[in-house]
Amino acid sequence: TSTHAIICLYFLWHFHCSNRKGKLIFFYDWSIKLKWSGMAEGKEGEVKGEIEIPNLSDENAVEEVDVIVTVESSGKVVSQTMKEMVHREAPIVVRSKLSEYLRCLKEEYSNKGLILPKRQSPTESSPATPPTLGTRISTQRSPSPAATSNKKSGTVNVNTTQIKMTESFMTSIEELYNTLTTQQLVATFTNSSTKLEAKKGGLYSLLDGLISGQYMELEKPHKIVKTWREKSWPDAHYSTVTIELNQEQDCAKLVLLHTNVPEGVAERTKLGWKTHIFERIKSVFGYGARLF
């Protein structure tokens, strides 16, 4: 099997480079979507699909970046061997190329003269002692109550919002409930290391530890309530996820209520539910199309 074309569909990006104390600091946030095609041996001929990288940013190591690979059938049968090969090999190749690209980008900016010598008073014989953390804080405006932490109780006060979503899956609520609460199945559709104990008080960890929490309520096959936090969120801040499953005549309807989500990451979190959970379940298990 050989891939003969990769075409970039869109590349939404933000990149910023700053010089602080003689060191370059890089900030970036990209969303990348690709089309791929390849020639397979035998009867399958040309095989096509898409690759999506929704979370390439300075907050995540390249090894932690999600690489979502889909295979387009276009009415013809694509063998399970081909699908497994693409899902296994494509993320490895993509992450390798992303690492190379980031390395080259940082090297290019490092050679643009952005690293400047620190300014030093001509009357000083040695570098000035940098101000202490307390000195810097005393010259700044006091943080607002919404952004401060309560050290005594260990809780963090942040501005939050909620996410509401409804999604339909072409399966039964029993199958969908099992898909959401079985460790092996969750690991399959997230394509990542997963640990979970689906019982009241049980802990879980998704996407190689980027998301974690605890199950608060389980009502098979109708309801799942659990706490949820991302690794990058403020310490001790947890949101709450409530999932209700309702059996319709031709599908299972999932109603999601995600409360206490930090406002700054609400849109990203909503996109994550759509691309990393719902669409992956439909793609991997075939719950996105009616089966006759």
Side-chain angles (χ1 to χ4, degrees), residues 62-139:
V62 172
E63 295 76 16
E64 299 175 332
V65 168
D66 297 311
V67 180
I68 303 170
V69 184
T70 57
V71 180
E72 186 180 298
S73 60
S74 300
K76 65 180 181 180
V77 177
V78 179
S79 71
Q80 188 64 29
T81 301
M82 167 63 74
K83 291 180 180 179
E84 290 176 354
M85 185 277 293
V86 171
H87 283 105
R88 181 181 64 252
E89 300 296 333
I92 298 174
V93 174
V94 170
R95 290 191 179 102
S96 173
K97 294 300 181 182
L98 290 176
S99 296
E100 181 180 348
Y101 174 70
L102 290 174
R103 178 183 59 79
C104 293
L105 191 64
K106 291 178 181 180
E107 286 181 357
E108 178 183 351
Y109 274 85
S110 298
N111 294 327
K112 288 183 178 291
L114 293 178
I115 302 180
L116 303 175
K118 301 177 188 177
R119 186 170 60 182
Q120 191 171 341
S121 172
T123 60
E124 293 175 340
S125 58
S126 60
T129 302
T132 63
L133 181 61
T135 303
R136 290 201 298 271
I137 291 177
S138 66
T139 60

XYZ file of all heavy atoms in Angstrom, residues 62-139:
603
model
N 3.695 17.142 21.134
C 3.252 16.543 19.873
C 2.731 15.129 20.104
O 1.784 14.681 19.453
C 4.403 16.544 18.845
C 4.017 15.757 17.604
C 4.773 17.965 18.465
N 3.336 14.417 21.068
C 2.891 13.052 21.367
C 1.469 13.023 21.918
O 0.794 11.997 21.873
C 3.838 12.393 22.373
C 5.249 12.160 21.875
C 6.076 13.438 21.847
O 5.654 14.420 22.494
O 7.116 13.461 21.174
N 0.993 14.160 22.459
C -0.340 14.226 23.043
C -1.387 14.738 22.056
O -2.576 14.733 22.349
C -0.331 15.150 24.269
C 0.589 14.686 25.387
C 0.666 15.695 26.522
O 0.482 16.901 26.252
O 0.904 15.281 27.668
N -0.940 15.184 20.881
C -1.850 15.762 19.895
C -2.776 14.683 19.336
O -2.348 13.569 19.036
C -1.037 16.428 18.758
C -1.939 16.766 17.580
C -0.361 17.678 19.270
N -4.043 15.033 19.189
C -5.009 14.105 18.612
C -4.870 14.098 17.093
O -4.857 15.158 16.454
C -6.439 14.514 18.980
C -6.678 14.451 20.478
O -6.337 13.423 21.076
O -7.193 15.426 21.041
N -4.772 12.905 16.531
C -4.731 12.735 15.081
C -5.913 11.834 14.718
O -5.897 10.634 14.969
C -3.403 12.116 14.605
C -3.410 11.958 13.097
C -2.223 12.974 15.040
N -6.953 12.445 14.160
C -8.190 11.722 13.857
C -8.183 11.335 12.384
O -8.201 12.202 11.505
C -9.420 12.592 14.175
C -9.385 13.041 15.646
C -10.705 11.844 13.877
C -10.412 14.081 15.985
N -8.156 10.041 12.113
C -8.061 9.536 10.749
C -9.373 8.856 10.369
O -9.892 8.024 11.115
C -6.895 8.531 10.606
C -6.757 8.083 9.161
C -5.594 9.144 11.105
N -9.910 9.238 9.226
C -11.120 8.595 8.725
C -10.867 8.027 7.330
O -10.055 8.563 6.571
C -12.304 9.581 8.668
O -11.947 10.706 7.842
C -12.648 10.079 10.060
N -11.562 6.939 7.022
C -11.461 6.303 5.712
C -12.798 6.455 5.005
O -13.846 6.128 5.557
C -11.105 4.801 5.844
C -11.012 4.154 4.466
C -9.812 4.631 6.608
N -12.761 6.974 3.802
C -13.974 7.241 3.031
C -14.282 6.034 2.157
O -13.456 5.624 1.325
C -13.717 8.491 2.165
C -14.927 8.987 1.416
C -14.566 10.207 0.593
O -14.160 11.220 1.191
O -14.661 10.145 -0.646
N -15.465 5.473 2.333
C -15.797 4.267 1.571
C -16.364 4.586 0.192
O -16.133 3.868 -0.775
C -16.796 3.417 2.357
O -17.985 4.144 2.589
N -17.151 5.682 0.073
C -17.750 6.104 -1.201
C -18.510 4.974 -1.888
O -18.442 4.790 -3.101
C -16.672 6.650 -2.144
O -16.019 7.750 -1.570
N -19.209 4.197 -1.098
C -20.044 3.145 -1.653
C -19.340 1.836 -1.926
O -19.975 0.842 -2.258
N -17.999 1.805 -1.813
C -17.306 0.546 -2.061
C -16.769 -0.017 -0.757
O -16.602 0.695 0.231
C -16.161 0.743 -3.064
C -15.043 1.636 -2.569
C -13.967 1.775 -3.631
C -12.827 2.650 -3.149
N -11.778 2.792 -4.178
N -16.493 -1.292 -0.764
C -16.043 -1.967 0.449
C -14.545 -1.745 0.637
O -13.749 -1.976 -0.275
C -16.341 -3.482 0.369
C -15.801 -4.181 1.610
C -17.836 -3.705 0.221
N -14.177 -1.253 1.822
C -12.773 -1.091 2.180
C -12.459 -2.134 3.247
O -13.156 -2.224 4.256
C -12.486 0.324 2.720
C -11.017 0.457 3.097
C -12.870 1.361 1.684
N -11.448 -2.930 3.029
C -11.160 -4.043 3.923
C -10.802 -3.565 5.322
O -10.284 -2.455 5.507
C -10.011 -4.886 3.364
O -8.790 -4.186 3.474
N -11.068 -4.420 6.304
C -10.734 -4.100 7.692
C -9.225 -3.957 7.855
O -8.749 -3.136 8.638
C -11.276 -5.198 8.615
C -11.149 -4.889 10.091
C -11.968 -3.694 10.511
O -12.995 -3.403 9.910
N -11.524 -2.985 11.538
N -8.456 -4.749 7.081
C -6.996 -4.662 7.151
C -6.515 -3.281 6.733
O -5.630 -2.693 7.360
C -6.360 -5.723 6.234
O -6.797 -7.018 6.640
C -4.840 -5.651 6.302
N -7.100 -2.745 5.654
C -6.732 -1.407 5.186
C -7.076 -0.357 6.242
O -6.268 0.527 6.555
C -7.464 -1.098 3.878
C -7.396 0.375 3.464
S -5.715 0.948 3.120
C -5.423 0.161 1.551
N -8.264 -0.449 6.827
C -8.671 0.524 7.841
C -7.734 0.489 9.051
O -7.320 1.520 9.562
C -10.105 0.241 8.283
C -11.152 0.528 7.219
C -12.544 0.230 7.744
C -13.601 0.516 6.697
N -14.970 0.211 7.183
N -7.412 -0.721 9.500
C -6.532 -0.851 10.659
C -5.149 -0.297 10.364
O -4.527 0.348 11.224
C -6.441 -2.325 11.074
C -7.734 -2.862 11.679
C -7.643 -4.347 11.981
O -6.618 -4.959 11.618
O -8.597 -4.885 12.582
N -4.645 -0.540 9.147
C -3.330 -0.037 8.775
C -3.298 1.486 8.775
O -2.375 2.113 9.304
C -2.943 -0.577 7.396
C -1.516 -0.218 6.957
S -1.340 1.426 6.231
C -2.289 1.213 4.719
N -4.328 2.099 8.211
C -4.387 3.562 8.135
C -4.479 4.167 9.537
O -3.771 5.117 9.869
C -5.584 4.007 7.270
C -5.780 5.514 7.378
C -5.358 3.606 5.821
N -5.359 3.622 10.385
C -5.526 4.156 11.741
C -4.275 3.945 12.590
O -4.007 4.729 13.505
C -6.731 3.490 12.422
C -8.052 4.021 11.942
N -8.866 3.310 11.100
C -8.683 5.195 12.171
C -9.948 4.013 10.834
N -9.865 5.162 11.469
N -3.500 2.906 12.274
C -2.293 2.616 13.052
C -1.099 3.441 12.578
O -0.355 4.009 13.395
C -1.971 1.126 12.943
C -0.727 0.707 13.757
C -0.442 -0.762 13.602
N -0.087 -1.140 12.236
C -0.873 -1.823 11.408
N -2.059 -2.240 11.803
N -0.479 -2.117 10.176
N -0.899 3.540 11.283
C 0.315 4.144 10.739
C 0.218 5.654 10.543
O 1.200 6.371 10.737
C 0.669 3.484 9.397
C 0.912 1.982 9.481
C 2.123 1.644 10.340
O 3.038 2.481 10.445
O 2.145 0.529 10.902
N -0.955 6.140 10.147
C -1.083 7.577 9.828
C -0.733 8.488 11.006
O 0.012 9.455 10.827
C -2.489 7.871 9.310
N -1.245 8.240 12.236
C -0.874 9.131 13.350
C 0.627 9.183 13.604
O 1.166 10.236 13.955
C -1.626 8.518 14.541
C -2.786 7.801 13.942
C -2.254 7.244 12.654
N 1.325 8.056 13.411
C 2.779 8.031 13.626
C 3.479 8.942 12.638
O 4.346 9.750 12.996
C 3.310 6.588 13.509
C 2.686 5.688 14.595
C 4.830 6.567 13.600
C 3.047 4.229 14.454
N 3.097 8.844 11.363
C 3.721 9.665 10.319
C 3.403 11.140 10.539
O 4.282 12.006 10.448
C 3.229 9.218 8.925
C 3.764 10.150 7.848
C 3.651 7.783 8.641
N 2.133 11.447 10.851
C 1.718 12.843 11.024
C 2.437 13.481 12.206
O 2.946 14.607 12.105
C 0.192 12.923 11.216
C -0.221 14.334 11.653
C -0.520 12.553 9.923
N 2.510 12.786 13.338
C 3.181 13.352 14.522
C 4.672 13.584 14.239
O 5.255 14.559 14.711
C 2.998 12.433 15.725
C 1.574 12.411 16.259
C 1.488 11.697 17.602
N 0.128 11.694 18.113
C -0.691 10.643 18.060
N -0.264 9.512 17.536
N -1.921 10.720 18.546
N 5.278 12.691 13.470
C 6.685 12.852 13.121
C 6.892 14.115 12.283
O 7.826 14.898 12.521
C 7.184 11.623 12.348
O 8.493 11.819 11.870
N 6.015 14.344 11.316
C 6.118 15.531 10.462
C 5.825 16.807 11.247
O 6.441 17.851 11.003
C 5.170 15.400 9.273
C 5.542 14.281 8.307
C 6.925 14.497 7.716
C 7.297 13.398 6.727
N 8.676 13.589 6.193
N 4.882 16.747 12.182
C 4.581 17.918 13.006
C 5.779 18.297 13.868
O 6.098 19.483 14.023
C 3.361 17.637 13.890
C 2.005 17.543 13.183
C 0.925 17.168 14.187
C 1.650 18.842 12.487
N 6.447 17.291 14.442
C 7.639 17.557 15.258
C 8.721 18.223 14.425
O 9.372 19.184 14.862
C 8.175 16.250 15.852
O 7.260 15.670 16.748
N 8.915 17.723 13.197
C 9.935 18.289 12.310
C 9.583 19.727 11.938
O 10.444 20.619 11.912
C 10.046 17.421 11.052
C 11.098 17.891 10.068
C 11.155 16.994 8.834
O 10.554 15.901 8.856
O 11.796 17.413 7.858
N 8.294 19.974 11.658
C 7.854 21.321 11.283
C 8.053 22.316 12.421
O 8.572 23.421 12.214
C 6.377 21.284 10.878
C 5.797 22.651 10.604
C 6.176 23.379 9.479
C 4.887 23.220 11.486
C 5.654 24.636 9.237
C 4.362 24.477 11.254
C 4.748 25.182 10.122
O 4.234 26.427 9.890
N 7.666 21.938 13.643
C 7.826 22.830 14.788
C 9.302 23.122 15.051
O 9.669 24.256 15.388
C 7.173 22.208 16.021
C 5.640 22.145 16.014
C 5.135 21.370 17.228
C 5.041 23.546 16.014
N 10.137 22.109 14.904
C 11.579 22.310 15.112
C 12.124 23.316 14.098
O 12.863 24.252 14.460
C 12.310 20.979 14.991
C 13.827 21.103 15.153
C 14.517 19.751 14.960
N 14.233 19.192 13.646
C 14.847 19.586 12.527
N 15.759 20.549 12.579
N 14.552 19.024 11.377
N 11.746 23.160 12.828
C 12.222 24.077 11.788
C 11.689 25.486 12.006
O 12.405 26.480 11.794
C 11.794 23.567 10.406
S 12.587 22.033 9.888
N 10.439 25.593 12.420
C 9.832 26.908 12.650
C 10.547 27.644 13.773
O 10.855 28.840 13.672
C 8.351 26.733 12.980
C 7.500 28.007 12.996
C 7.443 28.628 11.612
C 6.096 27.682 13.488
N 10.835 26.933 14.864
C 11.526 27.564 15.996
C 12.953 27.949 15.627
O 13.451 28.997 16.040
C 11.503 26.618 17.199
C 10.113 26.434 17.796
C 10.117 25.446 18.946
C 8.713 25.274 19.511
N 8.680 24.321 20.638
N 13.619 27.110 14.832
C 14.971 27.434 14.389
C 14.972 28.676 13.507
O 15.854 29.534 13.603
C 15.579 26.253 13.631
C 15.990 25.087 14.514
C 16.602 23.956 13.719
O 16.651 24.068 12.466
O 17.034 22.969 14.334
N 13.954 28.791 12.650
C 13.870 29.947 11.756
C 13.711 31.244 12.551
O 14.399 32.230 12.302
C 12.689 29.779 10.792
C 12.511 30.963 9.859
C 11.294 30.808 8.966
O 10.706 29.704 8.963
O 10.938 31.782 8.289
N 12.834 31.238 13.539
C 12.618 32.446 14.339
C 13.821 32.730 15.241
O 14.090 33.873 15.579
C 11.340 32.314 15.154
C 10.113 32.740 14.381
C 9.466 31.846 13.540
C 9.623 34.036 14.463
C 8.357 32.220 12.804
C 8.515 34.427 13.736
C 7.888 33.518 12.898
O 6.793 33.897 12.176
N 14.521 31.688 15.639
C 15.703 31.892 16.483
C 16.811 32.603 15.719
O 17.673 33.251 16.313
C 16.223 30.544 16.998
O 15.263 29.911 17.806
N 16.783 32.497 14.379
C 17.817 33.115 13.557
C 17.421 34.488 13.021
O 18.105 35.047 12.173
C 18.157 32.194 12.369
C 18.792 30.892 12.820
O 19.509 30.864 13.819
N 18.527 29.823 12.097
N 16.308 35.027 13.492
C 15.828 36.317 13.001
C 16.273 37.485 13.880
O 15.777 38.591 13.747
C 14.296 36.310 12.896
C 13.770 35.471 11.747
C 12.264 35.565 11.651
C 11.734 34.763 10.470
N 12.114 35.364 9.181
N 17.184 37.247 14.818
C 17.663 38.325 15.663
C 16.710 38.730 16.755
O 16.761 39.847 17.262
N 15.810 37.810 17.135
C 14.839 38.140 18.176
C 15.423 38.020 19.572
O 14.870 38.548 20.528
C 13.616 37.218 18.055
C 12.777 37.411 16.792
C 11.632 36.416 16.786
C 12.251 38.830 16.710
N 16.526 37.276 19.720
C 17.165 37.153 21.028
C 18.146 38.306 21.184
O 19.185 38.347 20.516
C 17.891 35.805 21.173
C 16.908 34.642 20.964
C 18.566 35.705 22.528
C 17.539 33.285 21.089
N 17.821 39.250 22.012
C 18.627 40.447 22.197
C 19.293 40.426 23.555
O 18.776 39.831 24.496
C 17.732 41.694 22.085
C 16.945 41.821 20.766
C 16.026 43.026 20.835
C 17.890 41.926 19.594
N 20.465 41.110 23.697
C 21.115 41.153 25.011
C 20.276 41.921 26.009
O 19.549 42.850 25.651
C 22.439 41.873 24.717
C 22.175 42.655 23.476
C 21.216 41.832 22.666
N 20.351 41.495 27.272
C 19.610 42.187 28.316
C 20.199 43.572 28.524
O 21.408 43.761 28.501
C 19.684 41.404 29.634
C 19.139 40.004 29.537
C 19.328 39.303 30.857
C 18.984 37.840 30.756
N 19.236 37.141 32.016
N 19.319 44.547 28.735
C 19.791 45.898 28.976
C 20.399 45.991 30.373
O 19.841 45.487 31.337
C 18.616 46.882 28.845
C 19.052 48.334 28.930
C 17.921 49.253 28.567
N 16.797 49.073 29.460
C 15.642 49.727 29.343
N 15.468 50.564 28.340
N 14.666 49.519 30.201
N 21.535 46.676 30.465
C 22.238 46.757 31.741
C 22.681 48.190 31.968
O 23.117 48.888 31.051
C 23.467 45.840 31.708
C 24.113 45.636 33.061
C 25.174 44.560 32.977
O 25.186 43.764 32.049
N 26.049 44.526 33.936
N 22.553 48.694 33.161
C 22.941 50.052 33.482
C 24.443 50.208 33.326
O 25.215 49.370 33.799
C 22.533 50.390 34.924
O 23.082 51.638 35.299
N 24.922 51.297 32.638
C 26.352 51.463 32.427
C 27.114 51.689 33.719
O 28.330 51.523 33.756
C 26.421 52.711 31.521
C 25.118 53.427 31.741
C 24.123 52.369 32.008
N 26.461 52.089 34.786
C 27.137 52.346 36.055
C 27.271 51.093 36.890
O 27.929 51.102 37.928
C 26.362 53.404 36.866
O 25.048 52.915 37.114
C 26.261 54.709 36.078
N 26.635 50.019 36.444
C 26.664 48.785 37.225
C 27.786 47.892 36.719
O 27.996 47.722 35.520
C 25.330 48.038 37.112
C 24.169 48.784 37.758
C 22.868 48.063 37.507
O 22.799 47.255 36.560
O 21.926 48.306 38.267
N 28.514 47.298 37.643
C 29.602 46.396 37.270
C 29.132 44.966 37.143
O 29.843 44.134 36.632
C 30.717 46.479 38.326
O 30.188 46.139 39.604
N 27.931 44.696 37.635
C 27.374 43.344 37.534
C 25.902 43.453 37.236
O 25.282 44.487 37.488
C 27.583 42.576 38.849
O 26.935 43.245 39.910
N 25.272 42.387 36.683
C 23.855 42.441 36.344
C 23.015 42.775 37.566
O 23.294 42.336 38.674
C 23.560 41.014 35.833
C 24.889 40.474 35.420
C 25.889 41.091 36.330
N 22.008 43.574 37.325
C 21.119 43.958 38.421
C 20.358 42.752 38.913
O 20.001 41.862 38.142
C 20.139 45.037 37.935
N 20.122 42.714 40.198
C 19.356 41.614 40.782
C 17.899 41.749 40.372
O 17.301 42.803 40.539
C 19.440 41.660 42.315
O 20.804 41.587 42.678
C 18.661 40.500 42.917
N 17.329 40.732 39.757
C 15.943 40.847 39.312
C 15.014 41.007 40.499
O 15.298 40.534 41.597
C 15.698 39.492 38.602
C 16.691 38.560 39.206
C 17.884 39.390 39.523
N 13.912 41.716 40.296
C 12.972 41.901 41.392
C 12.384 40.578 41.827
O 12.288 39.641 41.052
C 11.889 42.807 40.776
C 11.987 42.559 39.307
C 13.433 42.292 39.036
N 12.025 40.488 43.073
C 11.413 39.263 43.584
C 9.988 39.166 43.099
O 9.406 40.133 42.599
C 11.410 39.265 45.122
O 10.604 40.350 45.572
C 12.825 39.424 45.656
N 9.412 37.958 43.248
C 8.034 37.757 42.842
C 7.112 38.711 43.573
O 6.200 39.291 43.009
C 7.618 36.297 43.111
C 6.189 35.910 42.724
C 5.981 36.102 41.230
C 5.913 34.477 43.129
N 7.383 38.923 44.880
C 6.546 39.822 45.659
C 6.611 41.244 45.155
O 5.618 41.966 45.132
N 7.803 41.686 44.706
C 7.954 43.033 44.174
C 7.143 43.199 42.906
O 6.455 44.198 42.711
C 9.437 43.316 43.870
O 10.186 43.131 45.066
C 9.610 44.737 43.353
N 7.209 42.188 42.005
C 6.460 42.298 40.754
C 4.965 42.339 41.015
O 4.237 43.084 40.386
C 6.805 41.113 39.834
C 8.215 41.162 39.280
C 8.322 40.298 38.029
N 8.046 38.892 38.324
C 8.978 38.039 38.703
N 10.222 38.438 38.859
N 8.677 36.788 38.923
N 4.514 41.549 41.945
C 3.080 41.523 42.235
C 2.620 42.847 42.831
O 1.545 43.344 42.538
C 2.744 40.355 43.185
C 2.938 39.024 42.459
C 1.334 40.456 43.706
C 2.706 37.813 43.321
N 3.465 43.464 43.651
C 3.054 44.685 44.324
C 2.893 45.845 43.358
O 2.226 46.814 43.656
C 4.084 45.053 45.403
O 5.325 45.386 44.788
N 3.516 45.749 42.163
C 3.403 46.833 41.203
C 2.276 46.607 40.216
O 2.012 47.454 39.372
C 4.713 46.959 40.400
O 4.946 45.731 39.701
C 5.883 47.261 41.330
